[in-house]
Amino acid sequence: MAVMAAFTVVGGLVALLAGAYGLHRTRSLTEAGELTEALVKAVRQGADRPALQFETADGRVMEVVSPVPTSRRRPLRAGERVPIAYDADDPREVVLLGRERRGLDWTFVGAGAGLVVAGLALALAA
């Protein structure tokens, strides 16, 4: 029982930290990142996300895979221009403004916290 409790706590901590890191990274990029517009490129064969092409403040042209998939409700159409924020030190780190997916990160935080609590309860019951 103690081993199961330990695995549950460790798994919960991993999920909690992953969600917290995602929230932190999104906030950092949206508040302090470089703002620009990106051109949505066509989805490549075998991929589920389109590429985003943009020019950095120092003139480099970057092409990165969109951090969010396209959906019926909010499609990313080829040729469309979308607002993004990117990390000036690593322009491959991009946030698509208005589509940050904070809900997914909060889900990881909540699930991770729940698993930590469940694991601690298992450990105390043992």
Side-chain angles (χ1 to χ4, degrees), residues 38-119:
L39 175 68
V40 178
K41 307 281 281 205
V43 178
R44 293 187 178 133
Q45 186 173 8
D48 65 339
R49 298 175 186 208
L52 302 174
Q53 184 181 46
F54 63 96
E55 187 175 346
T56 63
D58 61 4
R60 290 180 287 168
V61 175
M62 300 293 298
E63 188 169 306
V64 298
V65 175
S66 172
V68 296
T70 189
S71 67
R72 286 187 201 155
R73 194 179 69 144
R74 299 192 72 185
L76 290 170
R77 293 182 179 88
E80 177 181 16
R81 297 195 70 77
V82 293
I84 64 166
Y86 67 91
D87 184 346
D89 294 330
D90 184 4
R92 295 171 296 171
E93 290 286 329
V94 173
V95 170
L96 195 57
L97 298 175
R99 301 178 193 209
E100 288 90 350
R101 297 182 72 184
R102 286 184 179 105
L104 181 62
D105 290 330
W106 278 113
T107 300
F108 270 92
V109 168
L115 286 171
V116 168
V117 170

